[in-house]
Amino acid sequence: MAKQENALGILDVRWREAAASLLTSHDGEFLIMLWGPGSIRKGWLRVRDREQSRAGLPSRVCAAIGRPEFCCLSVDGKVLCAATVEQGEYWIVVHEF
């Protein structure tokens, strides 16, 4: 468990470095879709990240759904960022349109 917590902490740091500032330029608001059954049906949710200085977004998503897998889109649609787990490794994908 400690190994996973350390890995999530590293993922949180990398998320802040790679994605957070690109997504939250609109007053902290962005769109998020969590991975899992029914997520496509639920679609994008518009959120405001008020917890940036606390636990990172990947850790908070993992606490809510059991894994740090989600996709985010900037409000203006110019930046897409995702976190996923593939073969036991955490990945962050960032694409600017």
Side-chain angles (χ1 to χ4, degrees):
M1 184 63 120
K3 185 176 180 180
Q4 181 184 7
E5 289 174 6
N6 185 42
L8 277 174
I10 293 169
L11 183 63
D12 288 340
V13 169
R14 298 293 185 255
W15 179 263
R16 273 190 217 105
E17 293 171 350
S21 64
L22 296 172
L23 288 171
T24 59
S25 60
H26 292 86
D27 196 26
E29 291 187 345
F30 57 94
L31 304 172
I32 188 168
M33 184 183 301
L34 305 176
W35 297 128
S39 61
I40 299 296
R41 253 190 340 268
K42 293 177 185 171
W44 294 97
L45 303 171
R46 189 171 183 151
V47 297
R48 177 175 288 139
D49 192 359
R50 295 183 174 151
E51 302 289 325
Q52 290 179 21
S53 62
R54 297 183 187 163
L57 185 61
S59 286
R60 287 181 278 140
V61 169
C62 187
I65 67 170
R67 59 192 182 280
E69 295 188 282
F70 57 94
C71 188
C72 295
L73 182 67
S74 61
V75 172
D76 62 8
K78 293 183 179 178
V79 179
L80 179 73
C81 303
T84 189
V85 181
E86 298 296 330
Q87 298 179 357
E89 294 183 345
Y90 294 131
W91 291 83
I92 296 172
V93 178
V94 177
H95 180 77
E96 294 184 59
F97 297 95

